Amino acid sequence: MAKASPKKRHRTSSRRRRKSSPLRSWLKKTFWLGLGSVVFVLIVYLSYLDYTVRHQFEGRRWALPASVYASPVELYGGLNVSRPQLEQLLGLLNYRHDPHLTSEASYYRRGNGLIVRTRSFHFPDGPEESIRARIEFRSGHLSALRSLDQGRPLPLLRLDPVQIGSFYPGRKEDRILVRLEDVPPLLIKTLLTVEDREFYHHHGISPKAIVRALWADVKAGRIVQGGSTLTQQLVKNFYLSSERRLVRKINEAWMALILEARYSKDEILEAYLNEIYLGQNKARAIHGFGLASEFYFSRHLKELEPQHIALLVGMVRGPNYYNPRRHPERALKRRNLVLDLLHQQGVIDAKTLHRAKRRPLGVTPYFHRPSALYPAFLDLVKRQLTLEYKEEDLTSEGLKIFTTLDIQVQEALEKSTKRVLPSLEKGYRIHGLETANVIVRRSNGEIVALSGGRDPRQAGFNRALDSVRPVGSLIKPAVYLTALQQPEHFTVITPIPDKPVRIKNPDGTFWRPQNYDHKTHGMVPLHQALTHSYNLATVHLGMKLGLAHVARTVRQLGVTRPLKLYPSMLLGATSLTPLEVTQMYLTLANQGFAMPLRAIRAVMSNDNQSLQRYPLTLRQAIDPPPIYLLDTILMQVMKEGTGRGAYRILPADLQVAGKTGTTNDLRDSWFAGFSGDYLGVTWIGRDDNRPSRLTGSRGALQLWARVFSKIATESLTLTQPEEIEWIPIDPLSGLRADEQCPDARRFPFIQGSAPQSPAPCASQRQPGVPQWFKRWF
């Protein structure tokens, strides 16, 4: 065959190049376009990951729930608290029984007393360091305090407050933030030894660690090490889910590299110490070693011993699998494995190893860090806070809320409720009783206890704040106070007609109120009409005064709810919540000074900076003299009137004042009363509005008296204004008496309002109806 000439081959090659040139060009363009697209997508993807990493890490790294604290308990000689009661309180504070007091928040018994090592705490008025003290008891009271550090008596010992709740974000994560410099060096060494020995030498991922972990797992026949670096673990906890997918692992690797490029090793390590998941407390996730130390051992992180550290670090691999409370044997093996590893790597010596392995797990049997230990009170606190703080601030900024709640008073209220309500249901053959209670310090309006139902630990409808019920006779003191503010017309002995009354309604019908006993009592002095809660006398008096004037007095007492000016208002057709009633009676209990009810004392930031204080504010709403007159009658109510049944329960020497309240068909049972130190309002009834069959004295008074028999320590002593004078009055004539009138009784009067004429207390006295009872005004 003849060969092609060079010239011909050249022409053929040229034709082939011409034919292939467009295809090659297209392929080249497609390749570079595809590569550019991939690079562009990769850049966008990495930029997104970089933004995600920086936004989370540099912004708000953790959503820290607000912590809500009760009022701190102050111990002093003579305090009415027994050793069992104080031990119960120490349990709520997560104190450990430890005969050696090896750490803060520990105690043990000695004889009839307790030896305690308190927990350091930053109060709103400043920090207090931990101290060791001996507490002695005698006859159910705290008898003496002594500092073991200084060897001298202590006038006062303040314990850190009980945390009664938290306001959590949606994910319900919980943690206590720690700084790297506050973390024990042994914890850091243990963590790096077990989880990432090359942490300070890799750039986010460690092929060497992966190979070593695989080899260790093969030798052990099970997973004993992981190949992820601390940085990868942080990324998984911080940004990603725990699902096992290739895409997640790729994201994890890239984000770990970005994190290492952006931030220092110490910043990453500190974030890891605060973020790592270490268990579950019911619905709340335990994150970080700071909270885990408190949760499992009731110790500050700085107080952990080697065996504690080994257990916590060992739990990183599987917090629920190695849960020491549920799986103590499994947790013990894991802890000892970590201790052996520390010894092998030279982190601890043989002596430390053997001593640590001989120690028990040391886990406390319980831990109190509730989301809502007293939900009704927490509801009130949150409502007040949301007036000044955003929701996200309450659930993410780690605020510290210091409240007015007194744990001991709250516990007394709950125990009394648990005892009294079933007894009432059994005694009166009823069921479904509910209750609401508010107890405040009389001197400053601080709410020390509150319940929104018979089950005070059950969240839901808060009857103390939201149950608007007719108040019955609780409104009557406002009617009589309106009269006593007019001393030129009314005094405590002014005669009031307790006789039938008929008032025409707007629709043409007639309102015919009756007394509870369906009897009339003729002309009665004003103080007696209120003492025995006569309905007819109250209506006569209220209509004479005018409904608008009575409503004005109610507003002066602190009620802001609009009032309908119907005659039935005088007998309590007005509906209020227990909290509103408390506000009203607080003014009566404080010489006419109006002060807002307070549930919060102070708010601090997570770094203990003061954000807000809630000081006591006062204003004179009503002049003290007429309030004093009214309060003397309310004390008479408890001695002689509708409240006298309380003294079957109260100590005989405890002076109190108060008023019962009962509504139509016995639907609502109320009582409001105060001692020298506390004011309490109690409501008992049924949610379906059916009759409870209880009057105020048979129902609410019984629960109130039971609570006050446990909490009240000060008798009520009224401060007499200068304008008040006590004048003896002859009961028959109603005139001023003297030593010749043996039956005379002293009554208080605003100066100038008492009768001036002398009583005829000699033989001139005539039998029959006293003339002064025949006068109406």
Side-chain angles (χ1 to χ4, degrees):
M1 177 180 286
K3 295 182 179 179
S5 66
K7 186 174 182 179
K8 185 175 181 179
R9 288 197 301 271
H10 177 71
R11 288 197 299 269
T12 302
S13 177
S14 297
R15 284 196 297 270
R16 287 175 179 171
R17 283 197 301 270
R18 285 195 296 272
K19 288 181 179 179
S20 63
S21 180
L23 177 60
R24 178 180 292 180
S25 176
W26 179 83
L27 290 173
K28 185 183 294 185
K29 289 181 180 178
T30 302
F31 170 78
W32 288 110
L33 182 61
L35 181 62
S37 298
V38 170
V39 171
F40 175 76
V41 171
L42 183 61
I43 291 174
V44 172
Y45 166 66
L46 293 178
S47 298
Y48 166 74
L49 292 182
D50 179 67
Y51 169 79
T52 301
V53 169
R54 288 187 295 106
H55 178 72
Q56 179 77 354
F57 206 89
E58 294 177 1
R60 184 179 295 160
R61 300 186 189 179
W62 298 280
L64 299 177
S67 299
V68 186
Y69 297 96
S71 177
V73 174
E74 296 182 339
L75 305 178
Y76 53 87
L79 180 65
N80 183 23
V81 62
S82 64
R83 190 182 71 179
Q85 288 175 322
L86 184 55
E87 286 190 89
Q88 181 182 11
L89 175 63
L90 294 177
L92 289 173
L93 288 168
N94 299 308
Y95 274 54
R96 297 176 299 103
H97 188 272
D98 179 1
H100 304 289
L101 301 182
T102 55
S103 67
E104 295 182 7
S106 57
Y107 77 100
Y108 66 92
R109 297 178 184 175
R110 177 185 288 179
N112 193 39
L114 296 175
I115 306 297
V116 301
R117 182 177 174 184
T118 64
R119 180 185 284 122
S120 56
F121 191 82
H122 202 296
F123 293 91
D125 57 1
E128 287 192 12
E129 297 299 322
S130 171
I131 66 171
R132 296 182 306 140
R134 182 169 69 240
I135 306 173
E136 298 291 342
F137 299 89
R138 182 179 298 126
S139 301
H141 287 70
L142 194 156
S143 58
L145 291 169
R146 187 171 186 84
S147 170
L148 299 180
D149 298 313
Q150 300 176 348
R152 59 179 177 81
L154 276 175
L156 184 73
L157 177 63
R158 181 162 62 166
L159 300 178
D160 54 303
V162 173
Q163 184 175 343
I164 59 174
S166 299
F167 299 136
Y168 287 93
R171 292 176 63 185
K172 289 198 173 181
E173 295 181 356
D174 203 358
R175 56 177 54 79
I176 295 175
L177 290 185
V178 297
R179 295 177 299 179
L180 189 60
E181 57 265 31
D182 296 329
V183 178
L186 181 59
L187 173 56
I188 296 175
K189 291 179 182 179
T190 303
L191 181 63
L192 298 183
T193 299
V194 175
E195 294 295 328
D196 192 352
R197 298 177 200 171
E198 305 297 325
F199 174 73
Y200 279 100
H201 303 289
H202 61 64
H203 297 288
I205 56 177
S206 175
K208 184 178 178 181
I210 296 174
V211 172
R212 183 176 63 246
L214 288 173
W215 178 243
D217 294 345
V218 169
K219 288 196 302 180
R222 57 190 175 89
I223 298 177
V224 294
Q225 290 189 28
S228 296
T229 64
L230 289 186
T231 311
Q232 288 175 279
Q233 294 181 39
L234 176 61
V235 166
K236 183 173 66 175
N237 277 269
F238 234 160
Y239 310 102
L240 305 173
S241 67
S242 59
E243 59 181 348
R244 296 178 178 271
R245 293 176 55 192
L246 180 61
V247 173
R248 189 195 66 77
K249 294 297 293 184
I250 293 173
N251 283 338
E252 178 185 297
W254 277 114
M255 295 175 83
L257 291 171
I258 293 171
L259 200 61
E260 290 274 354
R262 287 284 187 183
Y263 304 101
S264 70
K265 290 288 186 179
D266 285 351
E267 288 178 301
I268 294 171
L269 181 58
E270 184 178 272
Y272 181 95
L273 291 166
N274 285 301
E275 175 61 24
I276 191 66
Y277 172 71
L278 286 170
Q280 200 75 21
N281 182 13
K282 296 182 180 179
R284 285 167 284 130
I286 305 299
H287 284 264
F289 285 93
L291 179 56
S293 176
E294 298 274 1
F295 180 67
Y296 292 110
F297 307 114
S298 292
R299 293 172 181 254
H300 287 312
L301 196 61
K302 63 184 178 181
E303 297 177 321
L304 294 183
E305 298 178 18
Q307 67 272 15
H308 304 132
I309 290 173
L311 176 58
L312 290 184
V313 173
M315 291 174 62
V316 169
R317 190 63 52 198
N320 296 319
Y321 183 80
Y322 294 115
N323 186 322
R325 291 194 179 103
R326 294 184 179 179
H327 311 292
E329 294 183 1
R330 193 183 294 169
L332 183 63
K333 290 180 181 179
R334 177 64 177 167
R335 184 202 73 174
N336 290 344
L337 180 65
V338 172
L339 288 170
D340 288 335
L341 182 60
L342 294 179
H343 180 246
Q344 293 170 13
Q345 297 297 318
V347 178
I348 60 175
D349 56 28
K351 182 179 180 180
T352 302
L353 171 67
H354 297 314
R355 183 173 61 247
K357 292 180 74 171
R358 287 196 303 268
R359 297 287 178 86
L361 288 175
V363 176
T364 56
Y366 53 80
F367 181 81
H368 296 279
R369 191 176 171 89
S371 58
L373 188 59
Y374 306 108
F377 182 81
L378 265 292
D379 183 21
L380 172 62
V381 170
K382 191 168 186 179
R383 293 190 196 191
Q384 292 189 359
L385 287 173
T386 50
L387 298 176
E388 301 168 343
Y389 294 90
K390 298 178 180 178
E391 177 73 20
E392 56 266 29
D393 293 336
L394 294 179
T395 59
S396 63
E397 293 292 344
L399 300 179
K400 298 179 180 179
I401 316 298
F402 295 90
T403 74
T404 59
L405 185 83
D406 187 314
I407 292 291
Q408 293 175 297
V409 177
Q410 180 72 30
E411 291 292 323
L413 170 60
E414 294 185 3
K415 290 179 180 178
S416 299
T417 300
K418 189 175 181 179
R419 176 178 178 180
V420 172
L421 257 64
S423 176
L424 291 174
E425 289 178 328
K426 182 179 179 180
Y428 292 95
R429 297 181 181 181
I430 51 179
H431 66 276
L433 287 181
E434 277 294 349
T435 185
N437 298 268
V438 183
I439 302 175
V440 303
R441 294 192 195 281
R442 174 174 167 251
S443 61
N444 56 22
E446 290 186 343
I447 299 175
V448 294
L450 183 143
S451 66
R454 68 181 298 165
D455 184 356
R457 305 300 172 92
Q458 181 66 43
F461 182 55
N462 193 337
R463 296 166 186 81
L465 309 185
D466 300 323
S467 184
V468 184
R469 307 287 300 193
V471 297
S473 297
L474 291 188
I475 203 72
K476 289 179 181 176
V479 179
Y480 289 84
L481 178 61
T482 305
L484 294 172
Q485 290 183 86
Q486 306 175 34
E488 67 278 12
H489 298 300
F490 301 96
T491 70
V492 295
I493 64 170
T494 298
I496 309 292
D498 186 64
K499 61 183 181 180
V501 61
R502 187 181 74 164
I503 299 176
K504 190 173 183 179
N505 294 316
D507 61 0
T509 61
F510 288 91
W511 180 52
R512 296 181 176 88
Q514 292 183 329
N515 285 328
Y516 174 73
D517 58 6
H518 299 286
K519 298 178 181 179
T520 59
H521 306 89
M523 301 294 288
V524 296
L526 182 146
H527 70 87
Q528 184 177 330
L530 179 56
T531 297
H532 297 286
S533 199
Y534 292 152
N535 288 341
L536 298 178
T538 303
V539 172
H540 277 288
L541 177 60
M543 295 304 293
K544 185 72 175 181
L545 294 167
L547 298 178
H549 286 87
V550 174
R552 178 175 176 271
T553 300
V554 175
R555 286 192 293 270
Q556 286 177 320
L557 291 172
V559 175
T560 58
R561 185 181 297 271
L563 303 177
K564 295 180 180 180
L565 302 183
Y566 297 145
S568 58
M569 174 191 78
L570 301 170
L571 300 184
T574 296
S575 295
L576 302 173
T577 67
L579 193 70
E580 290 173 320
V581 173
T582 306
Q583 184 69 75
M584 172 181 168
Y585 271 77
L586 184 62
T587 308
L588 296 179
N590 280 285
Q591 297 179 280
F593 283 96
M595 59 183 76
L597 296 171
R598 296 188 299 156
I600 307 170
R601 287 180 175 174
V603 178
M604 296 177 66
S605 65
N606 185 57
D607 59 354
N608 296 319
Q609 298 299 310
S610 179
L611 299 179
Q612 194 160 0
R613 297 290 187 107
Y614 295 82
L616 174 65
T617 58
L618 294 172
R619 65 177 179 84
Q620 187 76 62
I622 299 177
D623 290 339
I627 291 285
Y628 179 86
L629 298 180
L630 180 69
D631 286 348
T632 61
I633 302 176
L634 294 181
M635 292 181 73
Q636 186 179 344
V637 169
M638 302 305 294
K639 295 175 182 178
E640 306 171 12
T642 56
R644 62 187 181 277
Y647 280 101
R648 300 192 190 100
I649 301 172
L650 295 174
D653 59 347
L654 182 68
Q655 300 297 314
V656 295
K659 184 71 186 73
T660 57
T662 309
T663 60
N664 288 345
D665 301 321
L666 303 182
R667 287 187 171 89
D668 301 275
S669 172
W670 288 91
F671 185 78
F674 48 96
S675 62
D677 41 4
Y678 295 109
L679 160 69
V681 171
T682 295
W683 169 85
I684 294 177
R686 297 174 61 169
D687 288 340
D688 59 10
N689 203 35
R690 296 174 64 185
S692 67
R693 303 183 189 175
L694 299 172
T695 63
S697 58
R698 291 192 307 210
L701 177 65
Q702 303 303 310
L703 177 52
W704 180 93
R706 184 72 60 185
V707 176
F708 270 63
S709 69
K710 297 179 180 179
I711 68 171
T713 60
E714 299 179 15
S715 283
L716 177 62
T717 302
L718 301 179
T719 301
Q720 180 174 317
E722 294 181 356
E723 300 90 335
I724 294 294
E725 56 183 357
W726 285 79
I727 305 297
I729 298 296
D730 171 37
L732 288 180
S733 66
L735 300 177
R736 189 183 291 250
D738 57 19
E739 63 275 4
Q740 302 300 321
C741 300
D743 297 328
R745 177 178 172 183
R746 291 168 59 85
F747 289 96
F749 296 88
I750 297 176
Q751 288 180 354
S753 65
Q756 299 300 313
S757 302
C761 295
S763 58
Q764 297 91 342
R765 181 176 289 166
Q766 299 295 322
V769 178
Q771 292 297 314
W772 71 295
F773 271 12
K774 296 180 181 179
R775 298 194 304 270
W776 172 236
F777 305 142

